[in-house]
Each structure stands twice: as C-alpha cells, then as structure tokens.
Amino acid sequence: MSPANPNRPLTLALSKGRIFDETMPLLNQAGIEVLENPETSRKLILPTNSPDIQIIIVRATDVPTYVQYGAAHIGIAGKDVLYEHMESHPGGLYQPVDLNIARCRMSVAVPDGFDYHNAVKQGSRLRVATKYTRAAREHFASKGVYIDLIKLYGSMELAPLVGLADAIVDLVSTGGTLRANHLTEVEEISQISSRLIINQAAMKTRQAQLQPLIDALMQAAFDPASPN
C-alpha cells in the first residue's frame, strides 16, 4: 500500500529492546497504548488503543528502510543506524527531532594491554571489526590511519579475542560487556541517541493526521516529568 492511502492506519516502525521500551512512555503520554508486548507476542504488527495507529516491529537496521520506502509513515531509529543508512540511501526521510532516548556512545575498544596510542599513528594500519563501517572508516581516515574493515553483525567483542581484528567499533552503554571480555574502551567516536524519522511523501499527503502524533511525541520527549 502507498503511504498516501487515506484508509491505512498510521504506521510507526520500532525495533525491540531499548528503543521500544523507552518509546512506550512517550506513546503513553501521548495517549497511545500498545495492546501487545513484542517480547511475548509473535505478531509483527501490533494494534494500539487507537484504530488509526499501528506499530510494526522490525530490526533496528531496517527501520529507516521501512520508513523511507513508505511501508511505515514514521519511525524511531538510532543516530548510528541513520548515519549508515543515509550513506547509500540519501534523502527520503525527515528527521525533525532527537528524542534523546536509548542513549549510548559509539566507541573504539581494544584488548586489554593493546597499545592503541602507538597503533593509531598517522600512516599506520589496523584491522577493525564493526557493523558501523561508514562511521569507522571516516573516524580513522580523520586520523590518517588505514584500516581493513571487517563487517560483523553480532558478537563484536569476540573478534579481537580470536585474532580476527585489532579493534572494534561498537555501541557502549555501561561498558560491562567489554570488561567481561577483557576489552578496554579507548576512544569515543560520538554520542548516540534516537531520532524521530518521517516519510517525506506521507508528510505531504497525510500531514493532518501525522502532525498531532509528531507534536505529541515531541512534547512527551521534552516534558520534564518524562522518565526519559
């Protein structure tokens, strides 16, 4: 269905985990209640207490794609995902506001005892494992460091431990997983949080329906009483 179809419920794309959990209070403050829990339900399309709004559950990396191509009208995605997505899919999305949820940081980590300072001298070369290839490539290029990128999608911490990579670029929250695997966070690349994203065509054709939802989410995100 096209995002312009006036009979189609407004569709919000979310991923499981922190983004979903931290979006729920914002939706609740906006008067929207999701009627099923994605952790216990097998459904990928979740109803809400409003017949005009539904939630779809997709992988975090797929949220911008669903929104950009109109399968969802609106979504919430981390800056990390958006930065990688926009390299190969420029345009097609509005990003009106940082909701300041699911906060963490993107960092470089290496095995305990690894001499990172000497390893990143200009002209040196490193093997770096990450799924954030654009961010890693641009970060090390700014230092004049050549890198061999090894793209992984999970268990990033394992790569240096088995000799696959010298370093990893990954998201860090508390750092507990790094410490448990004898890795040290040596450099922060950027602060990460999640943004509201909107399909451009839907914003033009269904603005009267979308704008109240956008305004309600923005107000909830910046309400001092909000748990976020």
Side-chain angles (χ1 to χ4, degrees):
M1 287 186 176
S2 162
N5 187 330
N7 299 316
R8 180 185 172 203
L10 290 181
T11 301
L12 169 63
L14 293 175
S15 55
K16 290 183 182 181
R18 283 189 68 191
I19 288 180
F20 184 90
D21 294 342
E22 295 187 25
T23 299
M24 289 305 97
L26 304 185
L27 290 174
N28 291 340
Q29 283 183 261
I32 300 166
E33 180 184 354
V34 181
L35 301 181
E36 296 193 35
N37 184 339
E39 298 296 342
T40 56
S41 174
R42 292 182 177 271
K43 293 181 180 178
L44 299 177
I45 301 178
L46 305 181
T48 72
N49 60 339
S50 169
D52 299 323
I53 299 173
Q54 64 183 7
I55 309 293
I56 62 171
I57 303 299
V58 300
R59 286 182 61 147
T61 52
D62 292 337
V63 169
T65 301
Y66 274 80
V67 176
Q68 183 159 353
Y69 289 97
H73 304 94
I74 189 170
I76 297 175
K79 289 181 182 178
D80 53 317
V81 168
L82 288 168
Y83 191 69
E84 299 295 320
H85 174 85
M86 297 308 291
E87 181 178 36
S88 54
H89 301 84
L93 291 174
Y94 289 124
Q95 301 181 38
V97 66
D98 186 341
L99 295 172
N100 205 30
I101 61 173
R103 295 185 294 271
C104 57
R105 58 194 179 274
M106 183 179 294
S107 294
V108 181
V110 298
D112 294 346
F114 183 85
D115 189 350
Y116 182 72
H117 177 72
N118 282 324
V120 293
K121 289 181 178 178
Q122 188 166 8
S124 61
R125 193 173 201 100
L126 283 178
R127 289 172 301 154
V128 178
T130 187
K131 64 179 175 180
Y132 304 109
T133 53
R134 179 188 182 188
R137 184 173 62 249
E138 293 181 358
H139 172 71
F140 285 103
S142 72
K143 294 175 168 294
V145 175
Y146 300 100
I147 60 171
D148 297 315
L149 278 172
I150 302 167
K151 188 163 187 176
L152 298 178
Y153 294 93
S155 301
M156 212 68 62
E157 296 83 6
L158 182 62
L161 303 182
V162 297
L164 181 62
D166 301 307
I168 64 172
V169 169
D170 203 6
L171 300 186
V172 180
S173 182
T174 65
T177 302
L178 293 178
R179 290 189 294 272
N181 288 283
H182 307 291
L183 299 176
T184 301
E185 183 181 1
V186 289
E187 189 171 23
E188 180 182 301
I189 295 176
S190 63
Q191 287 288 315
I192 300 295
S193 53
S194 293
R195 300 190 71 93
L196 190 66
I197 58 174
I198 305 166
N199 175 274
Q200 289 185 354
M203 194 62 190
K204 293 175 182 177
T205 60
R206 300 189 64 170
Q207 184 172 7
Q209 297 163 290
L210 272 171
Q211 197 64 53
L213 175 59
I214 295 166
D215 292 344
L217 287 171
M218 291 173 61
Q219 181 176 353
F222 295 101
D223 182 348
S226 170
N228 295 304

